[in-house]
Amino acid sequence: MKQDSTRNISYTVDCEDYVHVVKFNPFDSGDSCSLIAYGGNNYVVVGTCRFQEEDAEVEGMQYKTLRTFHHGIRVDAIAWSPETRLDAIPPQIRFCTAASDRKLRFFTSDLQDKNEYKTFDGHSDYINDLVFAPNEGQEIASVSDDHTCRVWDLEGNEKAHFVLRSPGMSVCWHPEEAFKLMVAEKNGTIRFYDMITQQAILSLECEQIPLMSADWCLKNTLKIGAVAGSDWLIWDITRSSYPQEKRPVHVDRARLFRWSRVNENLFATTGYPGKTTTQLLVHHLGHPQPILTGTAAVGSGLTWHRTLPLCAVGGDHKIFFWVTEM
């Protein structure tokens, strides 16, 4: 866990495989450490992190692997369940993955003898994103290149099915109003669905394509952010269906957009993986230029810590962490 000043990476964790996706647990798991999961070519690793920014007794960063789950196939997306608890006896770890075989896998583990998963079948093409219902964690929503958003119960039964006009790229659940779901499509449209009536209630337009990623700001749920083409775009949903702010940021197309979980003006974007280096940019709405530029060898995935202005990106046999200013 060394500090790397040359490329301003704050910390790195070495991994046994290429990291395709990395995800901090966005929910309180009842422990002072943060849970993190990352997915490789055929397994998922769940570990804990503790940073000197939150604990003076930690030097730099402490990382510990809790368990490696055999997955058997490349992991493309990971979502944490709010039912995950480290303070329960025994502890309960619950998460869901999307894989390159177009299936979801819902894992439950007590980190001892109980390690099981259920497979959810239904999507007919690549799954781009998935999310748990934030309150009870009893449903999972997923979006796919098959032009659908599907909502599942924990047994894998389909509870709702929304037909999209293009591939679904991102799905977010409203943190307070559990009946509102946001779906971002590659054609530049972001729609909000009412889960009770199963109807679209609002839509936003990028006016440019391809939309690759969108996120709902949890610190201010009127704010939506996305990347489309090489730009980032921000909406205030009370003001207009068109973005209030946008800026070109990545020359070779932008790939991911994620809001910080601690500041409504802070967000990160990444460039397209597949180049020799991937650029991570951290932006603050009060600043005209990015406040942090990071480079990672062929990075993928992007995730923010639940309580710190710290984000992580996966890479070749590594996870990279950057600490930024508020």
Side-chain angles (χ1 to χ4, degrees), residues 141-192:
S142 56
V143 288
S144 162
D145 281 353
D146 67 10
H147 294 210
T148 66
C149 168
R150 295 165 196 249
V151 180
W152 317 78
D153 67 16
L154 300 189
E155 296 301 314
N157 303 307
E158 207 175 279
K159 308 296 284 182
H161 180 121
F162 301 107
V163 177
L164 313 177
R165 289 172 196 166
S166 67
M169 301 306 293
S170 295
V171 59
C172 300
W173 221 301
H174 193 290
E176 288 102 31
E177 299 169 50
F179 61 90
K180 280 188 191 164
L181 197 67
M182 181 193 100
V183 175
E185 295 188 40
K186 200 168 189 174
N187 67 2
T189 301
I190 300 172
R191 277 195 193 80
F192 298 81

Side-chain angles (χ1 to χ4, degrees), residues 252 272-278 296-299:
D252 56 345
Y272 226 73
K275 307 281 187 273
T276 46
T277 57
T278 292
V298 206

Side-chain angles (χ1 to χ4, degrees), residues 23-307:
K23 197 71 176 275
F24 276 116
N25 181 8
F27 305 107
D28 180 4
S29 64
D31 192 83
S32 59
C33 294
S34 292
L35 279 164
I36 193 166
Y38 64 90
N41 287 322
N42 48 34
Y43 64 82
V44 178
V45 176
V46 169
T48 57
C49 302
R50 192 94 180 120
F51 299 91
Q52 64 183 18
E53 284 75 10
E54 57 188 337
D55 184 347
E57 290 179 16
V58 172
E59 194 176 317
M61 170 193 180
Q62 283 173 356
Y63 169 80
K64 178 181 160 209
T65 294
L66 294 181
R67 189 166 189 94
T68 299
F69 297 86
H70 185 69
H71 197 263
I73 191 163
R74 189 186 75 215
V75 185
D76 292 326
I78 298 174
W80 281 97
S81 163
E83 293 191 297
T84 292
R85 302 300 297 180
L86 287 177
D87 56 352
I89 301 172
Q92 173 164 271
I93 299 286
R94 297 194 109 167
F95 61 91
C96 190
T97 62
S100 51
D101 62 358
R102 309 167 181 182
K103 294 177 175 35
L104 299 176
R105 288 168 176 79
F106 171 47
F107 287 81
T108 301
S109 169
D110 62 3
L111 300 176
Q112 289 149 22
D113 313 321
K114 181 186 175 183
N115 295 287
E116 57 190 42
Y117 71 84
K118 296 188 180 86
T119 305
F120 300 1
D121 268 322
H123 281 297
S124 60
D125 207 338
Y126 191 80
I127 300 164
N128 292 308
D129 196 16
L130 71 163
V131 65
F132 275 84
N135 302 338
E136 310 291 323
Q138 295 304 299
E139 290 179 316
I140 299 164
S142 56
V143 288
S144 162
D145 281 353
D146 67 10
H147 294 210
T148 66
C149 168
R150 295 165 196 249
V151 180
W152 317 78
D153 67 16
L154 300 189
E155 296 301 314
N157 303 307
E158 207 175 279
K159 308 296 284 182
H161 180 121
F162 301 107
V163 177
L164 313 177
R165 289 172 196 166
S166 67
M169 301 306 293
S170 295
V171 59
C172 300
W173 221 301
H174 193 290
E176 288 102 31
E177 299 169 50
F179 61 90
K180 280 188 191 164
L181 197 67
M182 181 193 100
V183 175
E185 295 188 40
K186 200 168 189 174
N187 67 2
T189 301
I190 300 172
R191 277 195 193 80
F192 298 81
Y193 292 93
D194 181 319
M195 299 296 295
I196 298 160
T197 62
Q198 300 199 5
Q199 298 295 316
I201 45 178
L202 176 71
S203 69
L204 306 175
E205 292 298 335
C206 282
E207 297 190 293
Q208 61 195 73
I209 55 168
L211 183 154
M212 295 306 294
S213 172
D215 197 18
W216 206 330
C217 180
L218 299 190
K219 289 307 257 183
N220 176 353
T221 53
L222 301 176
K223 277 185 181 174
I224 306 293
V227 286
S230 54
D231 300 3
W232 61 251
L233 311 97
I234 309 277
W235 291 259
D236 171 341
I237 57 177
T238 59
R239 288 173 56 191
S240 166
S241 59
Y242 298 102
Q244 273 77 56
E245 294 198 55
K246 71 176 199 176
R247 206 161 293 160
V249 274
H250 296 278
V251 266
D252 56 345
R253 281 204 296 166
R255 177 64 188 91
L256 294 170
F257 182 108
R258 298 281 185 273
W259 289 104
S260 151
R261 308 190 72 83
V262 293
N263 183 330
E264 66 171 83
N265 293 310
L266 198 62
F267 60 96
T269 58
T270 62
Y272 226 73
K275 307 281 187 273
T276 46
T277 57
T278 292
Q279 205 177 33
L280 164 95
L281 297 174
V282 177
H283 314 268
H284 189 289
L285 285 175
H287 296 262
Q289 297 298 322
I291 58 171
L292 185 149
T293 302
T295 27
V298 206
S300 51
L302 171 61
T303 184
W304 283 92
H305 191 277
R306 194 173 68 85
T307 56

